[in-house]
Amino acid sequence: MTILGLFISISCQPKPNSETISKKEKNRHLLLAKMSTEEKISQLQGAWLRDLLDGKSLSLDSCRKKIPYGIGHLAQFSSSTDLNPDELKKVIWDLQQYLIHETPNGIPAIFHEEAISGFAAKGATTLPQQIGIGCTWNPDLLRENTAMSAKLMRKVGATQALSPMLDICRNSHWGRIEESFGEEPYFIAKMGLAFVKGLQGEDLSKGVAATTKHFAGYAGGTDNEKVFFEETLLPHEATVRFGNVQSAMAGYHTIKGIPCSANKELLVDILRTKLGFDGVVISDFWSVKQVYTKYKYAKNDKDAAIKSITAGLDVELPFGMSFPYLKEALDEGLIDQKIIDTAVQRVLLLKERLGLLNNEILPFEEKKIDFDPPENRKRAYESACQSIVLLKNNGVLPISTDIKKIAVVGPNAAAVQSLLGDYSYQSLAAYWWKYPVDPKNPKLVTLLDGLKANVKKGVEITYERGCDWTKSMNDEIEKVDNALGDERSKNLEYLNIKDLPKPDVSRAIQISVNSDVIIAAMGEQLYLVGEGRDRKDIRLPGEQEDFVKQLIATGKPVILVLFGGRPQIITNIESRCAAILQAWFPGEEGGNALADILLGKVNPSGKLTLTYPRTNKQAPIWYSKGYDSLDQPMYPFGYGLSYTSYKYKDLKMPKSYSIEEKQISISFEIENLGDFDGAEIAQLYVSPPKEIKELEPIELKGFVRVFIEKKKKKRITIKVSPKQLAYYANGKWIIKPGVYEFKIGASSTDIRLSGKVELKGNKKILNQRNVLFSENSIE
C-alpha cells in the first residue's frame, strides 16, 4: 500500500489549528508504525542519483537492487550528472514513481542540490558567487534570486537546497571563503535570512527547503563561548528563529573536542532547545564516517552511527556508510528504537511540509524546460553589476570615448572559468566529475566577449593571454589534511585547464605598447580557490604579478580586473595601477556587467564585506577588532568606490534614550553630488562606552542600499533597538546603560557622521536576544 491513502492534503498555514496538527501527527505515526526497520533506516540516508542511471535514463534494476526499501534523499543529484533539464525532470519523475509504487510504503525522496550561485544544474542560470552577492549589500535582490532558484528546482522536482553557507570568514587563505557572505556576523545574518526566505517562500509546499550550514563555526569562532553565541551562532539563529529554516548541516569540525555530527550539546541543547529548530539535521558529506576515521571519537563505523543519531543528527550524506549499521545496533540492543523513530519522524515531517506526502506525483508532462530564460539572464546581469567593487580609480574610468585602442590581456580575459565560483554546476561537474565546462549552456559571457559586444564602433580591441594562471595548481594549493572535508578530495589532482591557447608574453606586451589603455584580467579560477583549495600565499598566482609589472612598465594605464573567490595580495602593484576592479566570480553575465562598468554605462556600487589584507601575514584580519594604526589593510570592510560622490549631512538623533524603549531613531541625508546616478551603501556602526569592555570597539548594526539620481538627495532613517547592544555572559544577554557613539559611514573607516546617545536606565538582563536587526526607511 502506498502513502497516498494515508495522508490528508496539507495546507502550510503559519498557525494551523490543533485539530489539523493532531491529524497530521496521527497520519505520520500510522505511517511510521507500518514501516520496517530497513525502511526507516533507508529514510535516514542519501544516495547518488548517478548510481541509479543507465546512461541518461533511470535503471529500475539498479533501484531494485540498491534501494529496495526506498531512500530518503538524493544528494547533489544534478551536479553529479550531465543531464539536461528535460532529462533530469524525467529521471526524477521515474524515480519517484518507482519509490511510490514499488517500495513497501511508497515514500517519495527529497532531491537536494547546491544553490549559492543559482540552482547547480546543467543549463541553469549561473549567478555571481556568494561572496560577490554579499558585496551588493542587497538582501532584497538576494531574496528574489533564491526565489528564482527555487522555481527552477521545483520545475524538475527538487525540494531542498544545501545552502546557504553562513560561516563567518575572516581568513583569506581559506579556500571556502568564496562561499561566504564575508566577515561580519550581523551582515551575514541579514543576508542569510533573505536567502532562506526567498528559497522557502511563503508556502513551503511550493518552495524549496533551505539548509543553514555549517552548523556551527566551521570557519572558526568556536573556541570562546562568548564569541560563539554572539557571533558564530548569529546567522544560524536568524534563519532558525526568523526564517523557519527547515534543515541544518552539521559541520566537519569539532566543538569542545566532539565532532559536530555527534555533538549533542550543539545539535540538541543549542540548535533545538535554545533556538527552537524543528527541522532535519543532516551531515556534511562523509562527516558521520569521520566521527570514527578522522576523530576516533567512535570505535568503529557502527559506533559512529550510534553516537551521531543519539546526538540529534537525522540523516547521513551523501550515502549510507555508518547508518546502515543501525539495524545491527538495534538487534544488539545498543540503541533505543525511539531514537531512530524520532529521526524518521523528522524526515517525514519535512517531506509532508514540502508537499511530497499528500499528493501523488503529477503525471509527467512532455514540456520543454528553459533553465535560463531572458528574465533570469537579466537578473544575473543586475546581480553581477551590483557585486563588482571598484577598489581604485585615478580617473581612467569610465574609459573615455577618446580611447580608440584597448589591449585586453591576462588568463581571465577570455576564459569562462573566470566567471564560475565553486558550487556552481560547472565547477562541481568539472572539479569532481570531470565534465567539461560548456560555455553555451547557459551562455557564459567573458570580459572579452562583453567588451567586444559593447564598445562603440571604431574602437579596436586586441587580445592575448600573456601568461597562464600558474605553472602548477599543485604548487599553489596548500597541502592540508584532506580527511577533514569532502572525502573525494583525497585523491584529487589539480589539473590545469585544457584547450586554451599557449600564452605569448611578448605579443601581450607588444599589443599593450600599441594600445591607449590596458585591461589586465588576472586572479584565480576553480582549481585555485574552493573546498580543499587553501593557499598560504594569496598574492596573484604563478607569474601574474610579474606580468602586471611588465604591463605597467609600458607606460600605458593599466586597469586591473581581479577575478576569484578571495581578497588577493596586490601590494606590490596597487599603487602603479590606474584602476582596480574586484570582479569575484561574476556568473554568466559577468562579461557584460564588467564591460558596462568599464565603459560607464553602469555606475559601480559594490562594497567589500571582507577586509582586504596588505600582506600574507596580516590575514586573518577583520574590522571589528580595530585595525592596527601601524599595519593598516589594503582596503577596509565596507569599502567601495563610485563614479559619483556622495555627501552625508543633517544627522538627527536623540541625545538620550531609555534602555526600556524599543528603537533609537537615527536619520540623515545623502546627496549625490556628481554626474552619475548611483546606489550608495550607507553603514551604521556603534562604538560602546570605553568602560564596557565586553563589546567590540566598532560593530555594524545597520545598513541601507539607496539609489539616488544625480544632483538629488534622500533621507534615510535607521531604527536601532537597545537590544542590539546586548552582549553574552554566563548564558544571559546583558544591556548596560552608558554613552554609545553611533557612526554613519561609507565604510568602516570612512565615517561621515557621528553622534552620541546616552542610554539611560538600569542594566537589563535577557534570557534571549529577540531583536537582531535594525529597521530602515527611505524618503
Side-chain angles (χ1 to χ4, degrees):
M1 179 179 178
T2 73
I3 61 166
L4 302 179
L6 289 175
F7 282 83
I8 61 172
S9 178
I10 304 302
S11 175
C12 294
Q13 299 297 323
K15 295 181 180 180
N17 60 52
S18 58
E19 182 181 359
T20 302
I21 291 174
S22 65
K23 287 180 180 179
K24 293 177 183 177
E25 290 178 349
K26 182 179 179 180
N27 287 328
R28 287 198 306 276
H29 285 295
L30 285 172
L31 177 58
L32 187 68
K34 295 169 66 64
M35 295 170 67
S36 66
T37 299
E38 290 83 358
E39 287 177 271
K40 291 176 181 178
I41 294 173
S42 293
Q43 288 299 307
L44 307 181
Q45 299 176 55
W48 293 120
L49 177 62
R50 59 184 289 117
D51 290 341
L52 303 174
L53 299 181
D54 181 7
K56 295 193 173 187
S57 301
L58 185 72
S59 168
L60 287 176
D61 286 342
S62 293
C63 292
R64 290 161 184 155
K65 291 175 183 177
K66 296 178 179 180
I67 51 171
Y69 300 104
I71 195 70
H73 310 260
L74 277 299
Q76 286 187 349
F77 69 92
S78 55
S79 62
S80 62
T81 74
D82 65 346
L83 301 177
N84 67 37
D86 302 297
E87 293 165 342
L88 197 61
K89 177 183 176 182
K90 183 63 166 64
V91 165
I92 291 173
W93 187 85
D94 286 343
L95 182 49
Q96 297 288 41
Q97 290 298 301
Y98 162 76
L99 293 171
I100 289 172
H101 298 295
E102 292 199 33
T103 61
N105 280 287
I107 304 173
I110 291 174
F111 286 76
H112 43 68
E113 192 45 88
E114 310 292 343
I116 61 172
S117 54
F119 177 26
K122 185 176 183 179
T125 303
T126 305
L127 299 166
Q129 178 63 308
Q130 191 159 295
I131 189 62
I133 288 294
C135 292
T136 69
W137 295 66
N138 193 338
D140 292 335
L141 175 72
L142 176 59
R143 184 170 180 169
E144 292 165 359
N145 285 353
T146 57
M148 176 199 77
S149 297
K151 185 177 179 181
L152 293 183
M153 294 179 78
R154 277 285 181 172
K155 281 186 177 182
V156 295
T159 50
Q160 184 175 350
L162 303 188
S163 308
M165 193 273 229
L166 300 180
D167 285 302
I168 297 163
C169 296
R170 293 165 169 172
N171 189 347
S172 296
H173 296 283
W174 191 44
R176 300 193 71 170
I177 196 168
E178 65 165 321
E179 299 173 48
S180 77
F181 286 119
E183 70 182 50
E184 162 54 51
Y186 175 95
F187 178 81
I188 298 168
K190 187 83 171 177
M191 297 296 278
L193 182 59
F195 192 114
V196 169
K197 285 188 172 182
L199 201 63
Q200 296 190 167
E202 297 296 325
D203 181 350
L204 193 60
S205 70
K206 296 180 177 63
V208 168
T211 302
T212 185
K213 71 179 188 185
H214 304 88
F215 196 77
Y218 180 39
T222 62
D223 55 347
N224 180 290
E225 184 179 59
K226 183 175 184 295
V227 171
F228 179 80
F229 279 97
E230 285 183 2
E231 299 184 3
T232 307
L233 206 60
L234 176 59
H236 303 287
E237 180 179 357
T239 63
V240 171
R241 295 180 56 208
F242 300 101
N244 193 27
V245 68
Q246 293 295 298
S247 176
M249 178 186 284
Y252 286 122
H253 57 298
T254 65
I255 294 179
K256 297 180 181 178
I258 301 174
C260 290
S261 290
N263 195 314
K264 186 174 184 292
E265 181 182 7
L266 178 70
L267 302 183
V268 177
D269 299 348
I270 295 174
L271 180 59
R272 294 197 183 275
T273 304
K274 282 185 178 292
L275 301 187
F277 177 74
D278 72 343
V280 173
V281 178
I282 62 176
S283 78
D284 208 335
F285 287 14
W286 285 276
S287 68
V288 174
K289 178 183 177 67
Q290 291 172 9
V291 171
Y292 162 54
T293 58
K294 168 67 180 176
Y295 294 110
K296 305 303 179 186
Y297 183 70
K299 56 189 177 183
N300 51 40
D301 285 322
K302 179 166 62 178
D303 193 37
I306 294 169
K307 281 185 164 60
S308 296
I309 196 168
T310 301
L313 188 116
D314 302 312
V315 176
E316 182 181 18
L317 297 177
F319 49 84
M321 291 160 277
S322 299
F323 272 28
Y325 289 100
L326 288 173
K327 184 178 187 305
E328 188 177 306
L330 272 173
D331 294 340
E332 294 172 356
L334 299 176
I335 189 170
D336 193 315
Q337 180 72 55
K338 291 181 181 178
I339 292 173
I340 292 176
D341 287 355
T342 297
V344 176
Q345 282 278 30
R346 289 171 182 157
V347 171
L348 294 178
L349 177 58
L350 178 55
K351 291 186 176 186
E352 177 188 272
R353 289 171 172 171
L354 290 167
L356 294 173
L357 299 185
N358 52 291
N359 294 309
E360 188 171 5
I361 304 298
L362 296 174
F364 185 78
E365 293 184 41
E366 292 286 351
K367 184 179 180 182
K368 297 289 288 184
I369 299 174
D370 185 354
F371 261 5
D372 191 39
E375 61 269 24
N376 287 19
R377 292 202 69 92
K378 184 178 179 181
R379 178 163 298 285
Y381 168 79
E382 181 60 31
S383 298
C385 287
Q386 293 189 27
S387 73
I388 294 163
V389 184
L390 179 61
L391 298 175
K392 180 181 179 180
N393 185 19
N394 70 359
V396 70
L397 292 179
I399 293 173
S400 169
T401 54
D402 295 332
I403 296 294
K404 299 303 179 184
K405 292 184 178 182
I406 301 174
V408 181
V409 299
N412 279 325
V416 293
Q417 289 81 5
S418 66
L419 309 173
L420 307 169
D422 197 15
Y423 284 89
S424 63
Y425 168 77
Q426 297 92 334
S427 291
L428 286 167
Y431 191 74
W432 297 121
W433 308 105
K434 309 306 180 191
Y435 293 125
V437 174
D438 183 352
K440 297 180 181 179
N441 189 24
K443 183 180 179 182
L444 301 174
V445 183
T446 67
L447 172 58
L448 183 62
D449 295 332
L451 285 168
K452 286 181 175 180
N454 289 283
V455 294
K456 290 184 178 179
K457 188 176 180 180
V459 176
E460 180 185 353
I461 294 177
T462 52
Y463 161 69
E464 167 56 49
R465 290 186 73 212
C467 74
D468 210 335
W469 288 284
T470 181
K471 289 182 178 180
S472 170
M473 305 301 168
N474 288 297
D475 293 339
E476 289 286 342
I477 302 301
E478 181 182 350
K479 297 297 186 288
V480 295
D481 185 353
N482 287 323
L484 178 57
D486 197 308
E487 297 276 326
R488 291 172 289 180
S489 64
K490 284 183 176 180
N491 302 313
L492 191 74
E493 294 182 31
Y494 298 101
L495 303 174
N496 286 299
I497 294 170
K498 301 176 181 179
D499 303 323
L500 290 170
K502 185 177 180 180
D504 186 336
V505 64
S506 297
R507 183 174 182 274
I509 299 302
Q510 186 60 50
I511 67 172
S512 297
V513 168
N514 294 329
S515 71
D516 298 320
V517 67
I518 305 165
I519 299 175
M522 316 305 288
E524 299 174 313
Q525 37 88 326
L526 68 93
Y527 284 105
L528 287 166
V529 63
E531 185 168 2
R533 283 153 276 180
D534 299 357
R535 290 176 54 211
K536 288 182 179 178
D537 186 348
I538 52 174
R539 292 177 301 170
L540 292 178
E543 298 176 344
Q544 292 186 45
E545 185 176 299
D546 289 337
F547 177 58
V548 174
K549 289 178 180 177
Q550 292 181 66
L551 297 174
I552 292 169
T554 65
K556 299 300 174 71
V558 174
I559 301 167
L560 180 62
V561 181
L562 296 167
F563 293 85
R566 67 178 115 223
Q568 296 170 78
I569 306 299
I570 54 173
T571 307
N572 294 333
I573 54 176
E574 192 267 356
S575 64
R576 290 178 287 167
C577 291
I580 302 173
L581 281 167
Q582 176 66 61
W584 307 110
F585 289 121
E588 65 184 40
E589 278 287 317
N592 284 326
L594 278 164
D596 283 350
I597 287 173
L598 290 166
L599 299 171
K601 298 177 184 178
V602 170
N603 188 356
S605 60
K607 294 198 176 187
L608 295 175
T609 60
L610 290 160
T611 300
Y612 225 93
R614 187 175 293 275
T615 65
N616 277 303
K617 291 183 179 179
Q618 203 176 47
I621 183 173
W622 62 98
Y623 85 97
S624 62
K625 284 292 184 186
Y627 299 133
D628 186 338
S629 60
L630 300 178
D631 190 24
Q632 290 287 304
M634 180 61 69
Y635 305 112
F637 174 84
Y639 172 86
L641 302 178
S642 169
Y643 291 156
T644 190
S645 59
Y646 300 99
K647 182 178 181 180
Y648 290 63
K649 60 183 180 180
D650 195 23
L651 177 66
K652 294 182 179 180
M653 56 193 297
K655 291 184 178 180
S656 63
Y657 209 79
S658 170
I659 204 168
E660 300 293 338
E661 293 294 330
K662 289 185 177 181
Q663 293 176 320
I664 304 168
S665 182
I666 300 161
S667 74
F668 53 95
E669 280 188 354
I670 302 180
E671 184 177 2
N672 183 344
L673 300 176
D675 295 324
F676 286 83
D677 296 343
E680 172 66 335
I681 298 163
Q683 302 149 46
L684 170 64
Y685 297 91
V686 177
S687 292
K690 290 183 179 179
E691 62 271 18
I692 301 181
K693 306 296 184 183
E694 296 88 351
L695 293 172
E696 299 287 15
I698 183 171
E699 290 184 347
L700 184 75
K701 294 299 179 185
F703 62 90
V704 179
R705 180 186 175 93
V706 54
F707 179 81
I708 309 174
E709 294 177 336
K710 58 186 178 183
K711 310 302 183 184
K712 300 289 185 179
K713 60 185 178 181
K714 289 187 178 178
R715 174 161 287 276
I716 290 94
T717 300
I718 303 177
K719 295 181 179 180
V720 181
S721 168
K723 293 177 181 177
Q724 291 179 249
L725 308 177
Y727 64 84
Y728 182 85
N730 301 316
K732 302 290 184 181
W733 293 91
I734 299 170
I735 311 169
K736 284 186 176 179
V739 179
Y740 292 79
E741 186 173 8
F742 290 78
K743 304 174 179 179
I744 306 298
S747 80
S748 60
T749 59
D750 184 8
I751 303 302
R752 303 292 182 88
L753 302 168
S754 67
K756 294 183 178 180
V757 176
E758 182 180 4
L759 200 60
K760 292 185 175 182
N762 297 319
K763 180 174 73 173
K764 194 173 182 68
I765 299 176
L766 307 171
N767 288 323
Q768 190 174 46
R769 52 181 171 186
N770 50 17
V771 177
L772 302 183
F773 304 116
S774 58
E775 296 180 2
N776 309 325
S777 62
I778 301 171
E779 299 174 12

